[in-house]
Amino acid sequence: MKKTILITSASSGIGRETAKRFQQKDSIIIATTSSPKNEPELNQLPNTQVARLDVQNRSSIAEAIDAG
């Protein structure tokens, strides 16, 4: 069974590298960022879903949960 990994702030730095590393280990990745359309690299990774999420905005959190 594949593990599903949720990564917040996946648009840069540690978040981006963590998403790429877990994706290489055959996990299902949900990579969150404030602008998913601006993530051509993450959007091309197999088994990776890029979702909009702003952890400081309650409505954004609710939308992300509803979309999942």
Side-chain angles (χ1 to χ4, degrees), residues 1-66:
M1 174 186 288
K2 291 184 180 184
K3 292 182 180 181
T4 300
I5 311 293
L6 172 68
I7 301 170
T8 60
S9 301
S11 62
S12 65
I14 293 171
R16 177 181 291 280
E17 293 306 312
T18 302
K20 291 167 37 178
R21 179 72 51 99
F22 275 109
Q23 185 276 326
Q24 292 172 350
K25 296 186 178 285
D26 202 32
S27 297
I28 298 168
I29 306 302
I30 302 171
T32 65
T33 177
S34 59
S35 300
K37 292 179 183 177
N38 296 333
E39 295 302 327
E41 180 183 18
L42 293 177
N43 281 307
Q44 298 299 318
L45 294 176
N47 300 318
T48 302
Q49 175 186 349
V50 182
R52 183 184 180 295
L53 176 64
D54 178 351
V55 296
Q56 295 181 345
N57 181 316
R58 288 183 183 254
S59 64
S60 174
I61 295 168
E63 289 171 14
I65 292 169
D66 290 341

